[in-house]
């Protein structure tokens, strides 16, 4: 896994990024020299805007196709993040910030807090066992490392959980996205897979805190998993794959891996 400074960016207010309602731009920078290691232009299909009230609107096509930030603006954010992290060095091991640009393109940091990462001791799927296994989903981003097995469940909306019609407990749960209302259910899952969202979305953050394997931003996870619902499955979040059936798992460590992200298609408010 990479060491560096990671930022998610969307137009408008930041809630769609945190709640996982949108696939934002994401940038990964080197922690010392600030070189761009990776940047992915997100779909950014919606944004929250203020116009006498807060409204969700569709993002125009021309805005979706471009990065929200220029490389120079992104590096300005990264330098600010680094400065905040240095200020809290010794108190926090990792730092999570939120930022905004105003209409005059002035940068403001509106929040900073310690970030909690998962236990580096994880379970992994053996490559030989995975080689001939059928894949339910292949792709997305690793929201939380590790592997586990459980019954596959597709959760269409929160009401299914509230009513008791469905349950995440002990399941590999496929959802479109999650927000704070899902937390009490999410923490009982054996694995989580979302259609949209990124590394700083709710599903990824909670999964890391509770060491639950999680894959975010698959694009089609819920639809792909429907024909496997009720069957046993194995999530290998480190390699961003869910397999049909229970595969043998063994002990591993996060730092034993260097992820190469597969292509797919906190937060900027502008």
């Amino acid at each position: 896994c990479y060491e560096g400074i990671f930022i998610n960016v969307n137009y408008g207010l930041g809630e769609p990024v945190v709640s996982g309602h949108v696939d934002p731009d994401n940038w990964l920078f080197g922690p010392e020299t600030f070189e761009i290691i990776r940047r992915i232009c997100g779909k950014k299909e919606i944004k929250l805007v203020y116009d006498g009230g807060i409204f969700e609107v569709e993002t125009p096509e021309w805005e979706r196709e471009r990065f929200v930030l220029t490389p120079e603006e992104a590096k300005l954010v990264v330098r600010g993040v680094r400065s905040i992290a240095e200020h809290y060095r010794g108190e926090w091991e990792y730092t999570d910030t939120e930022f905004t640009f105003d209409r005059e393109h002035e940068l403001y940091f509106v929040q900073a807090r310690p970030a909690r990462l998962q236990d580096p001791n994880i379970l992994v799927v053996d490559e030989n066992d995975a080689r001939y296994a059928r894949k339910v989903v292949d792709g997305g981003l690793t929201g939380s490392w590790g592997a586990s097995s459980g019954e596959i469940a597709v959760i269409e909306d929160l009401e299914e959980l509230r009513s008791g019609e469905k349950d995440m407990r002990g399941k590999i749960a496929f959802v479109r996205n999650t927000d704070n209302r899902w937390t009490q259910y999410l923490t009982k899952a054996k694995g989580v897979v979302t259609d949209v969202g990124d590394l700083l979305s709710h599903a990824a953050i909670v999964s890391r805190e509770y060491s639950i394997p999680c894959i975010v931003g698959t694009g089609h996870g819920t639809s792909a998993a429907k024909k496997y619902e009720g069957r046993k499955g194995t999530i290998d979040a480190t390699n961003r794959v869910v397999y049909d059936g229970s595969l043998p798992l063994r002990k591993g460590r996060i730092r034993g891996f260097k992820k190469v992200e597969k292509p797919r298609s906190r937060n900027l408010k502008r």
Side-chain angles (χ1 to χ4, degrees):
C1 55
Y2 291 113
E3 295 284 345
I5 299 173
F6 183 85
I7 61 174
N8 280 169
V9 190
N10 190 46
Y11 299 105
L13 302 178
E15 177 59 26
V17 173
V18 177
S19 64
H21 279 86
V22 67
D23 285 323
D25 295 342
N26 71 67
W27 300 70
L28 178 64
F29 288 85
E32 303 295 339
T33 60
F34 306 144
E35 76 278 11
I36 298 173
I37 297 174
R38 182 192 68 232
R39 65 173 183 166
I40 299 174
C41 188
K43 295 179 180 179
K44 304 182 293 290
E45 294 173 331
I46 61 168
K47 57 183 177 180
L48 285 186
V49 299
Y50 178 80
D51 185 11
I54 297 176
F55 302 94
E56 180 181 301
V57 299
E58 289 189 4
T59 306
E61 194 67 35
W62 66 271
E63 286 189 328
R64 300 183 194 184
E65 293 176 352
R66 61 188 282 266
F67 284 93
V68 178
L69 296 180
T70 65
E72 292 73 23
E73 289 172 325
K75 287 183 179 181
L76 184 64
V77 173
V78 168
R79 291 188 182 97
V81 171
R82 181 65 178 183
S83 178
I84 293 170
E86 288 292 337
H87 177 77
Y88 288 104
R89 183 179 294 276
E91 297 181 52
W92 304 347
E93 184 175 5
Y94 299 98
T95 303
D96 180 13
T97 69
E98 294 185 12
F99 62 90
T100 180
F101 280 89
D102 65 15
R103 294 182 184 277
E104 284 69 46
H105 301 276
E106 288 292 327
L107 171 63
Y108 296 88
F109 283 89
V110 296
Q111 183 170 251
R113 56 182 173 268
R116 179 182 173 187
L117 298 188
Q118 70 186 96
D119 189 325
N121 298 300
I122 59 174
L123 294 176
V124 300
V125 175
D126 188 274
E127 292 181 1
N128 292 326
D129 293 317
R131 184 171 300 167
Y132 302 106
R134 185 192 305 274
K135 295 179 180 180
V136 178
V137 169
D138 184 4
L141 293 169
T142 300
S144 176
W145 294 270
S148 65
S149 297
E151 182 182 318
I152 292 174
V154 179
I155 314 299
E156 298 285 355
D157 56 59
L158 188 60
E159 190 55 40
E160 290 182 328
L161 298 173
R162 287 175 169 168
S163 66
E165 179 183 349
K166 290 191 176 181
D167 185 14
M168 279 190 173
R169 187 183 300 273
K171 308 289 179 61
I172 307 298
F174 286 76
V175 300
R176 184 180 187 278
N177 64 283
T178 70
D179 55 35
N180 289 334
R181 299 171 299 168
W182 292 69
T183 303
Q184 62 178 308
Y185 308 103
L186 192 66
T187 57
K188 305 297 192 302
K190 294 291 291 292
V192 179
V193 183
T194 73
D195 289 350
V196 297
D198 220 296
L199 304 190
L200 298 181
S201 63
H202 174 266
I205 292 171
V206 173
S207 294
R208 286 194 295 271
E209 290 183 350
Y210 286 85
S211 296
I212 300 168
C214 174
I215 304 171
V216 294
T218 61
H220 64 285
T222 53
S223 59
K226 283 183 178 178
K227 67 179 181 179
Y228 297 94
E229 188 165 18
R231 296 172 59 165
K232 291 289 186 179
T234 300
I235 179 172
D236 179 2
T238 305
N239 293 298
R240 302 166 299 284
V241 182
V242 178
Y243 297 99
D244 180 26
S246 294
L247 301 184
L249 304 177
R250 61 178 176 81
K251 294 181 180 179
R253 286 181 62 84
I254 291 175
R255 294 188 182 278
F257 301 91
K258 182 179 179 65
K259 298 191 301 169
V260 178
E261 299 297 353
K262 299 179 182 178
R264 332 166 292 161
S265 60
R266 210 167 236 260
N267 177 32
L268 180 85
K269 308 156 193 173
R270 191 179 228 173

